[in-house]
Amino acid sequence: MASSLLSPTRSATVDLYPLEPAIQELLTLKSFSEDKFDIKDFIGAISEKLITQSKEDPGPFDPKPFIRTFESVVDNLISLRKDVQRKTEQQEQSCKTAEKEYSKKLADLNRGFESVGRSFNGMESKITEVGRSAIRIGEQLESIHVARQRAQAAHDLVYYWNQFSRGDTSKLEALRKEGREGRQQVAILLRRLNAVAKELDIKGAEKTRVEIDKYCEKFEKDMLRMFDKSYRKGDPKVMKHCAQTLLEFNGGVSCVQIYVNQHDFFISKSRVNDTTSIEESQLWEILPNPDASLPKKELGLEALLNDIRVTVGQEAQIIQAVFPNPPLVMQVFLQRVFEQSIQQHVEQLMEKAGNISDLAFLRVLQLAHVQVSKLSEDLKVFDLSATSTTRSTEGMSATTALDLLDSREGRGMGVALPIGIMLENAMEELFVRYIEGTKYLERESKSLGELYSSYLSRFTKYHAMVTKAKNTGGLLDRMVDRIAAASGNSLTSSSATSSATAAFAKLSGMASSMKLGQYPTSPLPSAPSPTPGQQPESRNGAGSGVRDSVSEADGLLSLDTAEKILKWHAEAVGRCVEMSPSSDVAKNAFALSRVLAEALGTSYMEVALERASSAQFRIDTRDNKLDPDVSAFSVIHGVALICHLWQQYVSIALMPLASSSVTVRREMMVFNTQTISRIEATANLVEQKLLDSVVSYLSTQLLKQKKNDFKPKNDDLSFARVNTEPCISCCDMLEKVRDAAKESLSGQNLESFLTEIGVTFHSMLLDHLKKFPVNATGGLMLAKDLKSYQDTIATFGMPALDERFEFIRQLGNVFLVRPEILKSYVTEDYLGRIDSRLLRPYLAQRSDWGEFRYDDAVAVGADAAPEPVGNVVEDGEVRGLRERLGMGKIREMMKELEGLRAHGLSSGSGAGTSQQGGSGGYSFSSFSLPNVYS
């Protein structure tokens, strides 16, 4: 009802109050289609002007302008909506109509595609049937063609057989003169006629066979003449035709032979007779010297191999362009290169090197092997098997039918090996005469033995001379002469693991253990190395001759000598890896390690240790008044350093080579362990003998102590002396041993040795103090001596010894303590830990002991029963003191004080084993060596 009432008013409003153009522009469809349309902005734009006018009107708010404007806007919007709705309905109707038409057209197209697919399937079936028919027809045609070719071939064979039987070759000559195709047909006919003639046995066949052979020989000579002529002219087309024709005739063997035999590379006089480069090479001055760096190549051989690379590169192109079977031709050419050019040069090198020395021979062998191996790798790029496969595939279908009439021998040269296998076989044949079986290993072992024998000759001769000087005119002389003769004959030994000086070095080491000379006291210098140029008569490059004059320096161990021995061995191992098959590397490396152990261990270190041991034995048997020789420390120190270097070398260089064989690796581990253990056992023996000689010297010096040294009569003279002579001698020797031990030993070895010296000397002092009476003045002298002993032992740096000698010092003070405080003194500190009755043998040496025991008996006090002394029964108090300081259990005290020494001697009694804490036990493990055998 309200709408009906407002309708006339709206219409009147619309007519009477038209909208402004700006508002009418907002009521278009374009305003609503914008993406940024906002209803608030839209209403604000419509009412903006009305609001402004309302604010300008001073009267009350008038809503009528707003009502009229918004009513007009609403009417326009309604009208606009109706227009949009109408257009939308029209477009929806049009879309439905188009969709129906599209669906209809799509269905028609689907039906059309199905019809085309059915037609295509039918056509495919028909094509398949036609193809099958064509295949059957082709097979029939092929069989007919083969039969025709066979019949034609048979006809030709019969026809030309009859021609040869009549001695008429005019037809064949005419065919040959027709050109290249004619010559190829003649070649095929002659091959087949020759095959038939060999198998046919009829009347007149022998005569025909002779005629065929004559014509075949003539045909082959003509073709070879043509090939040679075109080869000299450089005409590859004619060469290819001749090679193909001869391939059809007899497999092309003669063609390949004439190509290879007449090649300039093999017939050049300058190359065949070129020995100047070998004779004039400076290589021969370097090879015999083991200390010289090995050149990387031999210039003459390198020039030859470079020529081969260039020549093979050129010939590969010619062979590929000319011959129908390039791999076979290349194989023949390369075999000729290896068997003639390379082998001839290598034989010249090896012959000259063999006349110089075994070391030169082995070095040249390695150089040649490395250079030829590199050549083989470079030549592998000339693999023509792919070309041969393509050509053989193309000609297979054309020749299969005709080859049915060929002979059983075939017409080819055989199957070409892959170029890699062929080159490996050529390499093996080139060097097999030098490395087959155990030839190489025997020569390598012999060379190492000669090098080591020469280098250690002065060392060995020095020890032999010292031994001979101390043992002249006896069995030892004859043994040394026999050993020297054996060393000269041992050069012919063929054992894989023996060196030229094995017997000599081993027996000389045994002899050195019996010599009575003193080992040099000098440190480890660098042993002089013989110069190859000074001794040209040597075959090993290091100089086998030994100068008549040798010095003490020649008999010393040297780390430089060990390094040089290992360096030479490393070079030999490198050659072994290069020359030996991969399956034999572990075994050969183990064999070379035995040679090294024989030289470095038996002939070098063990000889020095046994020499030092014999020197200590001489000291033990001579006058003990002389100072012990501590030079054996330098020997032990040198052996330790060399063994450390040796084990590092084994760990880094040898053990990895044995990783491929579990058995060989285990044997190498056991062998090296036994070798090191044997050397350690010898070092233990030397150290134990050195310890015994030092103890014997200290004991001798203590025996020089005079009875009244600690009970002097002239007090002024006694006070003038600082220490007694035995004390000074003992301290000097202890300092000497300490300095030598600390310079040469370390770790557990040093601690064990110094501890054993200190414990033994402590026990000796305990026995020593019970033998001498001491008065007040002598007590001061004794205290000074004991203080010197304590200070000297303190420099050892062993806490266990410090406590023992502090006890000795306190024990010496009992001779200085006044009687009234003696009781309290013997119950304090270190003395308080010992049963006081065990101290009586020392207290009994006090000069006032007799007076003290009666006058001060009550002060000391005792409540035991009287003790009979001789035929007299003493007073009860006096007997108590006697019992308190009695001697009944002195053995218990000695047993307690010597506990450590007894333990040390028990553990050090086995000098043949490696120890790490026993007395005199020496072990190289104190140098923190890596466990190379785990």
Side-chain angles (χ1 to χ4, degrees):
M1 183 175 182
S3 299
S4 61
L5 290 176
L6 289 173
S7 294
T9 305
R10 281 181 185 173
S11 151
T13 303
V14 172
D15 294 337
L16 296 176
Y17 303 100
L19 295 173
E20 295 182 358
I23 296 177
Q24 290 181 356
E25 186 178 354
L26 291 174
L27 298 177
T28 59
L29 186 61
K30 180 180 179 181
S31 300
F32 297 98
S33 60
E34 295 179 355
D35 296 336
K36 296 182 180 180
F37 175 77
D38 188 3
I39 186 64
K40 293 182 178 181
D41 296 339
F42 178 74
I43 295 175
I46 294 174
S47 58
E48 180 179 3
K49 189 175 181 180
L50 297 175
I51 295 173
T52 303
Q53 293 176 356
S54 176
K55 289 182 179 179
E56 293 176 353
D57 190 1
F61 174 71
D62 185 9
K64 290 181 180 181
F66 290 92
I67 294 173
R68 288 195 297 266
T69 300
F70 279 104
E71 285 180 350
S72 298
V73 169
V74 170
D75 292 339
N76 288 332
L77 289 176
I78 291 173
S79 175
L80 182 61
R81 184 178 62 184
K82 289 180 179 180
D83 292 340
V84 172
Q85 186 175 0
R86 184 174 63 255
K87 290 180 181 180
T88 301
E89 291 176 355
Q90 292 176 357
Q91 291 178 357
E92 289 179 354
Q93 187 65 29
S94 300
C95 182
K96 290 180 181 179
T97 303
E99 186 177 356
K100 289 179 181 179
E101 292 178 357
Y102 173 76
S103 299
K104 183 178 179 181
K105 289 181 180 180
L106 187 60
D108 293 342
L109 289 175
N110 288 334
R111 287 192 295 270
F113 283 138
E114 290 176 359
S115 176
V116 172
R118 287 192 298 270
S119 300
F120 180 78
N121 291 335
M123 186 180 298
E124 185 179 10
S125 300
K126 292 179 180 180
I127 291 174
T128 303
E129 292 178 2
V130 173
R132 291 174 181 173
S133 301
I135 291 173
R136 287 195 299 270
I137 294 172
E139 292 175 352
Q140 293 174 1
L141 290 175
E142 184 178 358
S143 61
I144 294 172
H145 179 66
V146 171
R148 182 181 177 279
Q149 284 185 331
R150 190 177 302 172
Q152 184 65 39
H155 174 270
D156 292 342
L157 286 176
V158 173
Y159 177 76
Y160 288 108
W161 176 273
N162 292 332
Q163 292 290 327
F164 275 109
S165 64
R166 294 194 296 267
D168 184 10
T169 59
S170 58
K171 297 289 185 181
L172 206 59
E173 285 291 335
L175 180 61
R176 191 179 70 169
K177 294 178 181 180
E178 290 181 359
R180 297 182 179 181
E181 293 183 0
R183 283 189 289 268
Q184 288 186 357
Q185 292 180 10
V186 170
I188 296 173
L189 285 172
L190 290 176
R191 186 187 73 240
R192 293 175 179 174
L193 286 171
N194 196 16
V196 171
K198 291 179 180 179
E199 296 184 0
L200 196 60
D201 187 13
I202 59 176
K203 184 179 180 180
E206 185 66 27
K207 179 182 177 182
T208 306
R209 186 182 301 112
V210 173
E211 293 294 332
I212 292 174
D213 289 341
K214 289 181 179 180
Y215 193 86
C216 287
E217 183 177 357
K218 178 178 177 295
F219 177 79
E220 184 178 9
K221 289 181 178 180
D222 292 341
M223 295 304 301
L224 289 176
R225 191 179 302 111
M226 183 184 299
F227 180 84
D228 184 54
K229 184 178 180 181
S230 60
Y231 175 66
R232 297 181 184 280
K233 290 183 178 180
D235 189 353
K237 293 184 179 180
V238 178
M239 291 175 61
K240 182 177 181 180
H241 164 66
C242 295
Q244 183 66 43
T245 302
L246 289 172
L247 176 66
E248 298 292 346
F249 177 69
N250 62 358
V253 178
S254 57
C255 179
V256 175
Q257 289 177 350
I258 194 173
Y259 172 77
V260 174
N261 293 337
Q262 296 186 5
H263 199 284
D264 291 339
F265 188 81
F266 302 112
I267 63 178
S268 175
K269 293 183 179 180
S270 60
R271 179 174 289 108
V272 173
N273 300 322
D274 185 16
T275 58
T276 306
S277 61
I278 296 178
E279 297 295 335
E280 296 180 355
S281 176
Q282 298 181 355
L283 182 68
W284 310 114
E285 301 177 2
I286 300 176
L287 289 176
N289 186 1
D291 296 327
S293 298
L294 182 65
K296 295 183 179 179
K297 55 188 175 183
E298 198 276 323
L299 298 181
L301 181 59
E302 183 68 15
L304 173 62
L305 299 183
N306 289 335
D307 289 345
I308 292 174
R309 291 184 179 93
V310 175
T311 302
V312 172
Q314 296 172 352
E315 296 306 313
Q317 299 178 1
I318 298 175
I319 291 172
Q320 192 171 2
V322 171
F323 292 95
N325 50 351
L328 286 172
V329 182
M330 179 60 73
Q331 177 174 316
V332 173
F333 186 82
L334 291 178
Q335 286 176 345
R336 182 67 176 274
V337 168
F338 274 86
E339 293 173 1
Q340 179 175 323
S341 302
I342 299 179
Q343 184 172 351
Q344 180 181 357
H345 194 93
V346 170
E347 287 178 352
Q348 293 174 357
L349 289 175
M350 301 310 300
E351 181 180 0
K352 184 170 180 60
N355 294 330
I356 298 177
S357 69
D358 289 331
L359 177 62
F361 181 90
L362 293 169
R363 284 182 163 184
V364 170
L365 181 64
Q366 182 187 13
L367 279 178
H369 193 275
V370 170
Q371 290 180 256
V372 178
S373 298
K374 186 177 180 181
L375 173 69
S376 299
E377 292 296 326
D378 295 341
L379 294 181
K380 288 180 181 180
V381 300
F382 302 107
D383 189 359
L384 306 180
S385 58
T387 305
S388 175
T389 304
T390 305
R391 294 185 180 181
S392 62
T393 304
E394 292 175 352
M396 183 64 69
S397 60
T399 59
T400 301
L402 299 177
D403 288 343
L404 296 176
L405 297 176
D406 289 350
S407 65
R408 297 188 183 93
E409 298 176 359
R411 56 188 179 89
M413 297 171 57
V415 180
L417 294 173
I419 191 170
I421 298 177
M422 188 276 297
L423 291 172
E424 290 178 1
N425 294 339
M427 278 278 297
E428 182 178 354
E429 293 175 1
L430 181 63
F431 293 100
V432 66
R433 58 183 298 185
Y434 307 112
I435 62 176
E436 65 178 344
T438 59
K439 283 185 178 180
Y440 164 73
L441 186 59
E442 290 175 359
R443 197 149 196 167
E444 191 71 74
S445 301
K446 178 183 176 183
S447 174
L448 275 179
E450 291 176 352
L451 287 173
Y452 294 154
S453 175
S454 174
Y455 190 60
L456 299 178
S457 57
R458 298 180 62 80
F459 176 84
T460 305
K461 185 175 182 179
Y462 169 79
H463 290 283
M465 289 177 60
V466 173
T467 302
K468 188 174 182 179
K470 299 298 181 181
N471 303 274
T472 55
L475 176 62
L476 188 58
D477 281 338
R478 296 193 297 272
M479 185 178 68
V480 170
D481 294 338
R482 195 174 303 168
I483 293 170
S487 67
N489 297 331
S490 64
L491 294 178
T492 59
S493 174
S494 60
S495 174
T497 59
S498 65
S499 63
T501 183
F504 176 72
K506 184 174 181 180
L507 293 178
S508 64
M510 296 171 57
S512 67
S513 65
M514 296 182 290
K515 12 183 214 294
L516 303 178
Q518 182 178 2
Y519 195 84
T521 59
S522 305
L524 294 173
S526 299
S529 174
T531 304
Q534 296 176 350
Q535 298 162 0
E537 73 277 3
S538 172
R539 282 184 48 84
N540 55 22
S544 60
V546 182
R547 296 190 297 271
D548 293 334
S549 60
V550 292
S551 61
E552 288 186 357
D554 295 324
L556 298 178
L557 290 179
S558 170
L559 191 60
D560 293 339
T561 299
E563 290 177 352
K564 187 167 293 188
I565 289 175
L566 293 178
K567 176 184 175 182
W568 294 348
H569 191 271
E571 179 183 334
V573 171
R575 279 195 299 270
C576 175
V577 175
E578 173 70 26
M579 303 303 302
S580 303
S582 56
S583 58
D584 294 339
V585 169
K587 179 179 63 177
N588 293 346
F590 181 34
L592 293 180
S593 70
R594 289 179 177 273
V595 179
L596 176 64
E598 185 70 23
L600 189 59
T602 304
S603 301
Y604 194 54
M605 288 188 289
E606 290 189 31
V607 167
L609 287 172
E610 290 171 0
R611 173 79 179 92
S613 177
S614 65
Q616 295 301 323
F617 175 77
R618 183 183 61 81
I619 293 173
D620 292 342
T621 57
R622 70 181 182 179
D623 188 1
N624 290 332
K625 295 180 180 179
L626 300 178
D627 292 351
D629 180 21
V630 295
S631 63
F633 279 125
S634 64
V635 179
I636 296 176
H637 181 60
V639 169
L641 293 178
I642 294 173
C643 281
H644 176 71
L645 182 64
W646 184 8
Q647 292 190 48
Q648 290 286 355
Y649 172 74
V650 170
S651 174
I652 296 173
L654 298 183
M655 295 305 293
L657 297 179
S659 59
S660 59
S661 175
V662 178
T663 303
V664 174
R665 181 180 176 86
R666 181 170 58 252
E667 292 177 356
M668 186 181 294
M669 290 164 50
V670 172
F671 174 77
N672 283 285
T673 302
Q674 292 175 349
T675 303
I676 295 297
S677 299
R678 187 177 67 250
I679 296 174
E680 286 183 351
T682 309
N684 289 339
L685 180 61
V686 173
E687 186 179 351
Q688 186 62 46
K689 288 186 176 181
L690 178 60
L691 176 65
D692 294 341
S693 64
V694 172
V695 171
S696 177
Y697 176 83
L698 294 175
S699 177
T700 301
Q701 297 305 313
L702 290 178
L703 291 176
K704 295 180 181 180
Q705 193 84 54
K706 297 179 181 179
K707 192 69 174 178
N708 294 324
D709 276 351
F710 304 122
K711 193 177 180 182
K713 297 179 180 179
N714 189 344
D715 293 344
D716 295 335
L717 181 61
S718 300
F719 277 111
R721 293 186 302 174
V722 178
N723 295 106
T724 62
E725 292 182 1
C727 173
I728 295 174
S729 300
C730 290
C731 289
D732 290 343
M733 176 52 59
L734 289 173
E735 291 175 353
K736 180 180 179 181
V737 171
R738 175 205 65 201
D739 295 340
K742 288 189 175 182
E743 182 179 355
S744 301
L745 304 181
S746 62
Q748 189 67 30
N749 295 325
L750 176 64
E751 181 180 351
S752 300
F753 183 81
L754 293 181
T755 300
E756 179 63 20
I757 291 289
V759 170
T760 305
F761 188 58
H762 174 267
S763 300
M764 294 167 59
L765 288 177
L766 288 177
D767 293 336
H768 185 69
L769 294 180
K770 296 185 297 184
K771 301 177 182 178
F772 300 94
V774 183
N775 60 14
T777 305
L780 295 175
M781 296 297 301
L782 177 61
K784 288 190 290 184
D785 282 1
L786 295 180
K787 179 60 177 175
S788 297
Y789 293 143
Q790 183 182 16
D791 293 342
T792 302
I793 293 297
T795 60
F796 286 10
M798 303 298 163
L801 298 179
D802 295 341
E803 294 184 359
R804 288 177 175 270
F805 281 83
E806 175 63 22
F807 169 79
I808 286 287
R809 188 189 65 81
Q810 294 183 10
L811 181 62
N813 289 340
V814 300
F815 300 104
L816 300 176
V817 176
R818 295 191 302 275
E820 57 270 17
I821 62 174
L822 181 62
K823 177 180 179 181
S824 61
Y825 181 76
V826 298
T827 57
E828 296 175 354
D829 226 349
Y830 288 99
L831 297 180
R833 304 175 188 176
I834 306 298
D835 191 344
S836 58
R837 290 174 298 178
L838 303 180
L839 300 177
R840 176 170 178 175
Y842 304 96
L843 295 175
Q845 300 300 326
R846 289 175 61 115
S847 59
D848 59 349
W849 172 247
E851 179 183 358
F852 162 70
R853 62 176 182 172
Y854 292 109
D855 298 342
D856 301 332
V858 179
V860 176
D863 15 353
E867 174 186 358
V869 179
N871 296 326
V872 181
V873 178
E874 299 179 354
D875 183 77
E877 289 81 358
V878 176
R879 185 200 59 187
L881 178 63
R882 301 274 297 180
E883 287 184 353
R884 173 169 172 74
L885 303 177
M887 299 178 60
K889 295 185 178 181
I890 187 64
R891 293 180 181 178
E892 296 181 9
M893 182 184 72
M894 295 304 300
K895 183 177 180 181
E896 178 181 354
L897 295 179
E898 294 183 1
L900 179 59
R901 180 174 184 273
H903 172 71
L905 291 175
S906 64
S907 60
S909 59
T913 59
S914 175
Q915 305 171 9
Q916 291 190 17
S919 170
Y922 192 83
S923 173
F924 299 138
S925 60
S926 65
F927 288 86
S928 302
L929 297 180
N931 189 1
V932 300
Y933 311 120
S934 60

